[in-house]
Amino acid sequence: MALDIEKLEKIIRLEMADNYQDHKVYRGLAAFIHNWTRDAITRHLTLPEKELVEKVADNLTDYARMSVLERARAIQEVLDLTAGSKSANGNGNGGTPAVRTLDPIPTRPVSAPPNPPPLSSSASPAKPAVWPDQRPSAIVRQSVRVVAPDPETPAPARQPAPANTPAAVVDLGAKLTTVKGIGETYAKLLSFAGLNTIHDVLYYFPFRHEDFSSFKKINALMYGQTESVVAQVLETVTKRTYGGKEMIEVTVADDTGRLSCIFFNRRMTYGLKTGSQVVLSGRVDEWNGRICFKAPSYEAADRELTSTGRLVPVYSTSGPLKLATLRKLIKTVVDRYAAALPEHLPAAIRERHHLVPLAQAVKDYHFPASLAVREKARQRLAFDEFFLVQLGVLLKRHEWQEERPGIPFEINQSLLEAWKDALQFKVTSFDPETKEPLEEMRKLELTGAQQRAIADILGDIQKDRPMNRLLQGDVGSGKTVVGATALLMAVANGFQGALMAPTQILAEQHFQGLSRLFEKLEESEYFQKLGLKVRLELLTGNVRKKEPVYRRIRDGEVDIIIGTSAVIEEVVEFHRLGLVIIDEQHRFGVRQRKALRGKGANSASNAEGANPHLLVMTATPIPRTLNLTVYGDLDLSLMNEMPPGREPIQTKWVMPPERNGAYKFIRKQINEGRQAFIICPLVEESDKIEAKAAIEEHDRLQREVFPDLKLALLHGRMKPAEKDLVMHQFRERQYDILVATSVIEVGIDIPNATVIMIEGADRFGLSQLHQFRGRVGRGQGKSYCLLLAGEELSQVGSERLRAIEKTNDGFELAEIDLQMRGPGEFFGTRQSGVPDLKVAGINDVNILEAARAEAIQLFEQDPGLKEVPHQLLSTKVARLWSLEGDLS
Ligand code: ADP
Ligand code: MG
């Protein structure tokens, strides 16, 4: 069943006729929308329909609270959407009210869109998209040739856009100075924004559009709103303000009234010639009790509007490049060269998902004619991003799994049982009278989630393809034991295992924890019968006498190597590396992952060149959209269950006046035998200043607040050995409170610590706060997280604190974080070597899944993307991942 657009429109028109008073619709328009939406989602909707419904709801659910003007805008937006959906259907009103797609373009040959923009009008049906007859010879690095190569013809220089004329060669990788209208000066300005080639500019997308599309009559202007009018210039008068400043008043008029436009710079009025017809856009201001425009942007009404009168793209600029200039330059380039972008998506895929051609999408995403058109363009580009990322991911996986064999391990069930039997964890309780801590080792029963993860892993490592798995479980879910199980299997099969942790402290902790686990195992009857021993070695960047360690690793005298990135240093040579585990993956880059895997093939006695199995562990819950992009090459095991006996951590945002109360609370916990963390605020300038701040805070707390307690200090400038010592002593309860910088962010496991106080909490990201909070609540007993923030809190800062106060669910927090920060920043994707998503957003799950499915299918047809028609795609993927030819 399809959507009832007609009903929606009918109600909307009723409301418009009623001047947006929200009286005409029973219980208000929002109530109607609510019902309409609910009704809609019970139907079997197509993807564009679903999106339409979402957008309608987005626009109108707040209707009751909107001003009349906001209502008018929201309604206009909805009408745009529904109109867009109808033209997509190829029928006007009447007929079927159904909407099948938002595509404003009827499904016919893609190279001839309706309402052709001036540029593509020259694209004749005789010149289809380059796909799929693109020949590899036509692709030379960045330059993409359209149709027949003709080295004689340089980049097109005439307007309008001869790019489409047959035989033209458009080198999209060409310097911007080759573009007519862009000289050295502009090219230099553009290079400040990182734009050096034509291709750069085409893909430099606006982050939003200003909506000037609805012109107003002068008598309908509303104070405070951003509006556009078409008017005639009547006169220009120079005045003086009370302060004596020169002020130029330009009066314009339309058939409904007059409007003053105030400028404080004569030069800004030069385009406003008396008698001329102009489009003015700006915020409606007030002067001398009348509404006016102050320094509006304007443009002659007859020229094609770039900066006014429509959806105006807003680009991020910095440095000396003005937005208006940038916009104009981009328009020049887009108008002339967008059409030359070769299509890399197979036509079948485009048709299946109603995707507009690339050239058109790029053009429309810069300068859309309507919101519906913009959305269509966005969908195409978002699809591209996901598709290319997925292909890259598949290629890497292919490279990894197909080109070299893996090592099939045998799983010794008796050993596995013995191991499970030997697993223990530490529980601390307190003598109710003496308050003395009573430590006891208890048998560890694996949680269901742990068992499932172990089963996944054991399944993988028995195959002759290398395991490639991501173990994702919230902080404290018990990933270490799972990883240790895999390590044990590697050792039992006569191979070495490596465990890489992001920090020294964490590596140290893993070393101790695993040593304890394996010691217990060695005491077991079964193990003693085998006469086996698991030899662990800690390898960090600071091992003085590294040489002998290297030798032992090389000679196979070490079974499990635990360390920081020191493990992947060139000099480290393994004897027989069979398994690699990377803990807290988000801290490592893709390159490091690759380097460590590469170690397997280079093992001393690995003649076959087999790849080791790989297990990646992370506590960072990644929203699905990102998960598939960032970790798309990994199989996923989710641990969504906490070990029993954990109580949720109680989080409280403490107001500055309550600070002393917070200290009292910490003291109370310590009196009960517990320990506490106090995290110093993030100092961005440098490690050194941060360390200094931490030292001062530690001294202050020790002197003024907790003179009778033992306070330890931990910061990033301490030597690794010092850090280890402090952590060790804290774990051994020689201190009550650990004052630390963000160095303790991940992984630290001190079950006896039950309270963490985070200073300057508003400065940390949500995921980071969640990680900090995960330092407590790891043992029996209730734990607390106290958040302190500065007096002047940013909007975002307080939103974050409210969010973390409300939920303990890392996944939910990650979603919120992502909403607030955008994917790039959220994950530091650039850093981790994964392409950034520029257009796609986290809500594009549907597009992602479509793109992923297509990528997988395409890859099945042509693993490695080696076939000729896929050359362009393969080049694109390689460029996106910027793996310097690694993939091509
Ligand atoms: P993370 O997933 O954050 O790396 P860890 O592996 O450090 O978590 O485990 C957190 C704590 O939970 C450790 O003290 C560990 O001994 C304990 N633990 C792990 N699994 C269980 C279990 N099944 N039952 C009880 N405690 C467990
Ligand atoms: Mg961990």
Side-chain angles (χ1 to χ4, degrees):
M1 241 202 289
L3 277 180
D4 197 349
I5 297 281
E6 271 189 350
K7 184 165 167 198
L8 174 70
E9 287 190 337
K10 205 176 107 201
I11 294 290
I12 281 183
R13 301 216 182 274
L14 207 65
E15 174 63 12
M16 286 168 84
D18 190 36
N19 269 328
Y20 312 104
Q21 296 302 305
D22 206 15
H23 289 326
K24 275 272 167 348
V25 186
Y26 176 57
R27 287 170 61 201
L29 184 68
F32 166 78
I33 292 298
H34 179 75
N35 291 335
W36 184 81
T37 314
R38 210 183 41 196
D39 179 48
I41 53 184
T42 58
R43 301 163 185 242
H44 294 286
L45 300 183
T46 61
L47 185 122
E49 280 174 343
K50 267 189 221 151
E51 285 179 359
L52 177 69
V53 171
E54 262 168 42
K55 281 197 200 107
V56 168
D58 263 9
N59 271 302
L60 298 179
T61 33
D62 244 13
Y63 196 77
R65 277 186 289 278
M66 293 179 184
S67 70
V68 166
L69 207 92
E70 285 169 332
R71 288 175 179 177
R73 265 168 191 274
I75 280 191
Q76 193 49 53
E77 198 138 340
V78 168
L79 288 178
D80 278 355
L81 288 166
T82 53
S85 71
K86 265 190 231 139
S87 66
N89 240 0
N91 65 50
N93 249 332
T96 43
V99 171
R100 253 180 300 279
T101 162
L102 264 178
D103 193 337
I105 297 150
T107 34
R108 49 174 156 137
V110 286
S111 50
N115 311 322
L119 216 167
S120 26
S121 56
S122 56
S124 73
K127 201 226 94 192
V130 196
W131 181 271
D133 7 42
Q134 183 71 53
R135 279 172 308 148
S137 60
I139 305 156
V140 187
R141 276 185 307 116
Q142 293 229 307
S143 84
V144 176
R145 294 174 177 199
V146 177
V147 195
D150 179 357
E152 293 299 83
T153 316
R158 273 181 311 115
Q159 256 181 325
N164 268 346
T165 51
V169 174
V170 182
D171 180 3
L172 296 177
K175 287 250 160 51
L176 284 167
T177 41
T178 61
V179 178
K180 186 163 181 222
I182 300 185
E184 288 292 344
T185 321
Y186 278 147
K188 193 144 186 194
L189 282 175
L190 287 166
S191 76
F192 280 116
L195 305 175
N196 298 306
T197 67
I198 295 171
H199 189 274
D200 290 346
V201 173
L202 292 176
Y203 273 88
Y204 191 72
F205 294 123
F207 58 90
R208 66 185 172 86
H209 284 87
E210 203 113 60
D211 187 0
F212 289 113
S213 56
S214 44
F215 292 111
K216 280 279 155 63
K217 288 294 183 187
I218 286 176
N219 71 353
L221 292 178
M222 295 284 269
Y223 174 76
Q225 301 295 322
T226 301
E227 318 241 53
S228 296
V229 297
V230 185
Q232 191 176 29
V233 180
L234 295 186
E235 58 172 357
T236 301
V237 185
T238 305
K239 297 181 170 176
R240 297 233 164 241
T241 62
Y242 294 122
K245 227 164 103 187
E246 192 185 59
M247 186 186 95
I248 300 100
E249 179 181 12
V250 179
T251 308
V252 302
D254 65 8
D255 52 353
T256 68
R258 291 170 167 234
L259 177 70
S260 289
C261 302
I262 314 283
F263 296 89
F264 292 98
N265 180 342
R266 180 168 288 279
R267 280 174 51 197
M268 287 170 68
T269 67
Y270 285 175
L272 294 169
K273 298 247 156 36
T274 302
S276 65
Q277 198 74 16
V278 290
V279 175
L280 297 134
S281 301
R283 222 170 78 96
V284 182
D285 213 319
E286 175 266 350
W287 181 66
N288 267 358
R290 284 179 306 149
I291 58 165
C292 72
F293 271 150
K294 279 187 187 150
S297 56
Y298 60 84
E299 210 150 2
D302 52 354
R303 262 202 289 143
E304 196 190 356
L305 308 174
T306 53
S307 300
T308 44
R310 59 150 82 191
L311 287 169
V312 176
V314 182
Y315 299 93
S316 72
T317 54
S318 57
L321 191 56
K322 290 243 168 38
L323 177 58
T325 315
L326 177 62
R327 193 184 282 140
K328 219 154 83 202
L329 293 174
I330 290 179
K331 183 134 178 29
T332 307
V333 173
V334 169
D335 277 354
R336 218 169 298 167
Y337 296 99
L341 277 167
E343 181 58 71
H344 54 262
L345 272 190
I349 294 182
R350 279 204 326 262
E351 267 161 34
R352 271 199 290 279
H353 303 282
H354 311 286
L355 299 170
V356 297
L358 178 63
Q360 193 194 338
V362 166
K363 188 170 181 299
D364 287 346
Y365 200 52
H366 283 282
F367 301 100
S370 72
L371 287 174
V373 166
R374 176 183 183 276
E375 176 54 18
K376 223 35 223 171
R378 199 191 68 80
Q379 287 179 8
R380 158 68 210 247
L381 296 169
F383 185 95
D384 264 14
E385 286 186 341
F386 286 134
F387 188 64
L388 294 175
V389 168
Q390 282 296 308
L391 282 178
V393 151
L394 290 170
L395 272 168
K396 285 203 303 179
R397 183 193 184 118
H398 175 75
E399 215 176 54
W400 169 241
Q401 289 194 325
E402 309 297 331
E403 292 180 3
R404 284 204 194 113
I407 308 153
F409 288 163
E410 255 171 55
I411 307 301
N412 180 333
Q413 286 302 332
S414 318
L415 174 63
L416 191 60
E417 289 312 313
W419 165 251
K420 286 184 184 167
D421 278 346
L423 288 175
Q424 294 198 330
F425 69 109
K426 206 190 313 183
V427 182
T428 315
S429 53
F430 293 89
D431 189 311
E433 263 149 44
T434 62
K435 302 268 185 224
E436 279 297 302
L438 307 168
E439 276 187 1
E440 137 192 33
M441 294 305 287
R442 268 195 217 156
K443 167 93 188 58
L444 186 150
E445 295 295 341
L446 293 170
T447 64
Q450 283 171 321
Q451 281 172 9
R452 281 189 295 278
I454 289 175
D456 288 345
I457 291 167
L458 297 185
D460 288 352
I461 59 182
Q462 291 178 70
K463 296 190 184 130
D464 59 1
R465 289 197 338 180
M467 166 167 76
N468 213 16
R469 185 167 290 278
L470 173 69
L471 177 59
Q472 188 183 313
D474 207 349
V475 197
S477 58
K479 295 182 290 294
T480 315
V481 177
V482 176
T485 311
L487 285 169
L488 174 66
M489 290 305 145
V491 176
N493 277 271
F495 283 87
Q496 289 171 312
L499 171 58
M500 185 161 92
T503 63
Q504 169 98 17
I505 297 173
L506 211 53
E508 161 93 358
Q509 178 182 292
H510 276 318
F511 178 72
Q512 288 173 358
L514 293 189
S515 300
R516 231 187 9 242
L517 286 177
F518 287 119
E519 268 165 32
K520 267 256 101 50
L521 176 67
E522 280 162 16
E523 289 168 14
S524 78
E525 214 176 291
Y526 177 80
F527 218 67
Q528 286 190 341
K529 223 164 50 200
L530 284 180
L532 265 175
K533 204 170 155 43
V534 181
R535 297 159 298 181
L536 288 94
E537 191 81 55
L538 181 66
L539 181 66
T540 62
N542 308 280
V543 179
R544 257 284 149 93
K545 299 175 207 107
K546 266 191 200 162
E547 270 312 309
V549 181
Y550 291 150
R551 190 196 54 75
R552 285 204 298 279
I553 295 172
R554 193 171 47 236
D555 293 348
E557 290 169 21
V558 179
D559 300 309
I560 295 175
I561 299 93
I562 298 168
T564 58
S565 55
V567 174
I568 56 167
E569 271 165 32
E570 204 118 323
V571 287
V572 183
E573 201 187 320
F574 291 89
H575 180 63
R576 277 186 100 191
L577 186 60
L579 171 74
V580 172
I581 300 183
I582 303 180
D583 193 19
E584 305 300 349
Q585 149 78 16
H586 68 287
R587 301 250 136 180
F588 291 110
V590 169
R591 268 164 229 278
Q592 279 162 309
R593 216 207 280 175
K594 202 169 163 183
L596 191 46
R597 289 199 290 208
K599 291 272 171 200
N602 299 328
S603 289
S605 66
N606 182 356
E608 325 85 73
N611 269 324
H613 297 290
L614 177 73
L615 178 67
V616 169
M617 308 199 291
T618 184
T620 310
I622 308 137
R624 206 146 54 113
T625 11
L626 278 187
N627 209 347
L628 291 180
T629 53
V630 179
Y631 291 136
D633 61 332
L634 303 173
D635 299 312
L636 182 66
S637 291
L638 257 179
M639 299 216 306
N640 51 0
E641 187 183 343
M642 286 287 170
R646 302 270 171 84
E647 275 184 77
I649 301 161
Q650 196 177 326
T651 305
K652 187 167 191 296
W653 177 3
V654 180
M655 297 300 145
E658 303 168 314
R659 172 179 292 276
N660 284 329
Y663 289 144
K664 262 196 208 131
F665 183 80
I666 291 176
R667 182 180 283 283
K668 200 167 135 253
Q669 289 286 308
I670 291 168
N671 286 341
E672 286 174 16
R674 300 303 194 170
Q675 289 165 283
F677 296 107
I678 296 181
I679 309 300
C680 300
L682 187 69
V683 180
E684 259 133 16
E685 292 91 68
S686 80
D687 245 21
K688 200 163 151 191
I689 302 176
E690 186 169 73
K692 189 164 160 270
I695 293 168
E696 279 167 12
E697 179 65 0
H698 170 264
D699 292 351
R700 185 188 74 83
L701 288 167
Q702 181 75 79
R703 245 189 355 251
E704 295 170 18
V705 188
F706 303 112
D708 52 325
L709 299 182
K710 284 169 289 187
L711 272 65
L713 172 68
L714 194 74
H715 61 71
R717 297 283 284 193
M718 285 161 62
K719 291 208 183 73
E722 293 171 336
K723 285 193 233 171
D724 289 348
L725 183 66
V726 169
M727 284 313 296
H728 180 77
Q729 290 173 333
F730 189 60
R731 192 171 283 127
E732 299 294 308
R733 293 161 181 259
Q734 294 177 30
Y735 292 107
D736 303 304
I737 299 175
L738 180 65
V739 180
T741 59
S742 55
V743 291
I744 69 152
E745 183 184 332
V746 285
I748 299 299
D749 186 33
I750 314 256
N752 189 46
T754 51
V755 54
I756 184 165
M757 172 166 162
I758 304 170
E759 294 277 359
D762 51 317
R763 295 204 181 182
F764 295 102
L766 260 186
S767 299
Q768 214 178 352
L769 286 173
H770 181 64
Q771 286 285 342
F772 280 134
R773 179 167 62 181
R775 297 311 109 225
V776 298
R778 301 174 74 83
Q780 310 316 98
K782 183 124 189 98
S783 287
Y784 305 87
C785 174
L786 309 174
L787 305 168
L788 274 129
E791 302 262 355
E792 282 163 33
L793 216 53
S794 69
Q795 168 97 24
V796 183
S798 55
E799 266 175 50
R800 266 192 226 135
L801 297 189
R802 264 195 294 277
I804 191 136
E805 207 180 22
K806 229 172 46 211
T807 177
N808 263 300
D809 181 337
F811 197 86
E812 204 180 317
L813 289 170
E815 295 273 3
I816 299 172
D817 204 13
L818 195 57
Q819 298 277 10
M820 280 157 65
R821 289 202 290 171
E825 224 187 303
F826 169 80
F827 213 59
T829 37
R830 264 182 208 297
Q831 237 181 346
S832 56
V834 173
D836 219 2
L837 302 175
K838 285 192 203 149
V839 178
I842 44 159
N843 296 321
D844 291 323
V845 180
N846 291 334
I847 301 180
L848 165 75
E849 270 162 11
R852 183 171 155 85
E854 290 290 357
I856 290 170
Q857 202 185 332
L858 183 76
F859 208 75
E860 266 164 19
Q861 288 164 22
D862 177 15
L865 296 185
K866 297 208 159 63
E867 282 170 21
V868 170
H870 301 154
Q871 285 289 324
L872 184 54
L873 260 182
S874 146
T875 318
K876 281 240 163 193
V877 172
R879 199 190 304 158
L880 184 71
W881 283 82
S882 48
L883 293 180
E884 294 97 31
D886 240 15
L887 288 173
S888 46

